[in-house]
Amino acid sequence: FDRNYEAAADCDALVLVTEWNEYRRPDFKRLREILKQPIVFDGRNVYDRKVLESLGFSYEGIGL
């Protein structure tokens, strides 16, 4: 799963567009440290807005 974090390094935001299990429970603290901006666009509404916002992320749920 380290490749997933490598792919997120220095990105401006995280965009989730799949419901695959491997992306359901990322280490958000780790993502917070490696993303340029702590922004999440959740195209499947998989993540918990309150949890992400408590960790300092901006969160937009845009899925069904």
Side-chain angles (χ1 to χ4, degrees):
F1 293 108
D2 280 338
R3 291 184 328 197
N4 298 340
Y5 296 102
E6 289 172 14
D10 294 323
C11 289
D12 293 314
L14 176 72
V15 179
L16 180 71
V17 293
T18 183
E19 293 183 21
W20 292 358
N21 285 334
E22 66 186 276
Y23 299 109
R24 286 187 172 268
R25 292 180 192 88
D27 181 342
F28 287 112
K29 291 180 182 177
R30 184 173 177 187
L31 282 171
R32 175 73 172 87
E33 293 175 2
I34 63 177
L35 289 169
K36 285 183 181 179
Q37 301 293 324
I39 301 170
V40 173
F41 294 98
D42 184 353
R44 305 303 295 168
N45 285 325
V46 170
Y47 302 140
D48 185 322
R49 173 186 299 276
K50 291 179 184 177
V51 170
L52 286 170
E53 289 177 346
S54 75
L55 293 170
F57 285 89
S58 295
Y59 174 88
E60 291 295 328
I62 53 177
L64 300 173

